[in-house]
Amino acid sequence: MAAHAALPARRHRSTHGWGLPATLGVVYGFYAATVDRHGGPITWGQVLLGFVSAVVHAGAVHMLRARGRALPRELRAATWAALVGIALGFLVSLSHMSVLSATVLALVVAAGTFCVAFYLFYTHEDAAGRPTARTS
């Protein structure tokens, strides 16, 4: 027993990168619960809806921000567009609008989000997908 056992390296866990997703998730959850309330009293179902919406939305935003660089720019823009479209479509559907109008509005906003995200990714990356150097 002359040799010491090697201790595994401790992995540093950081909350860096959770600030924006958590903030967006809380705002989204509050808004979802408020839209579902329709001016009536607060119920536990609405609190649960807001909490679950916040957790799912924050998790999706965090995952896209953390793992999005592995995707090609077209697919990354499409995933951001899908996230925005699904999130908006869900909120619109909570307001008891028709499914068709919620779908059309979500698709229009998702298409705009795709165009903006693709433009940003295309102008801020080289052909291999690496971030370009800032010249300002």
Side-chain angles (χ1 to χ4, degrees):
M1 293 279 170
H4 293 285
L7 293 175
R10 291 184 79 178
R11 184 175 172 192
H12 178 67
R13 295 195 179 204
S14 173
T15 58
H16 180 71
W18 273 104
L20 180 66
T23 304
L24 290 175
V26 167
V27 170
Y28 186 81
F30 277 142
Y31 194 72
T34 302
V35 169
D36 191 48
R37 204 172 116 209
H38 300 293
I42 297 174
T43 64
W44 285 108
Q46 293 159 352
V47 172
L48 182 64
L49 172 74
F51 180 74
V52 171
S53 298
V55 169
V56 169
H57 191 71
V61 170
H62 177 70
M63 187 183 326
L64 272 177
R65 289 185 75 217
R67 308 275 186 237
R69 289 272 180 207
L71 299 173
R73 67 177 69 108
E74 297 86 3
L75 190 56
R76 189 169 11 144
T79 54
W80 278 108
L83 175 68
V84 170
I86 290 168
L88 182 68
F90 176 68
L91 289 177
V92 171
S93 72
L94 287 176
S95 67
H96 297 299
M97 288 181 69
S98 71
V99 174
L100 181 62
S101 61
T103 303
V104 168
L105 180 62
L107 286 174
V108 168
V109 171
T113 302
F114 175 80
C115 293
V116 170
F118 181 75
Y119 175 78
L120 286 173
F121 298 148
Y122 187 77
T123 57
H124 290 83
E125 294 176 349
D126 62 5
R130 294 181 301 266
T132 57
R134 298 190 182 214
T135 59
S136 46

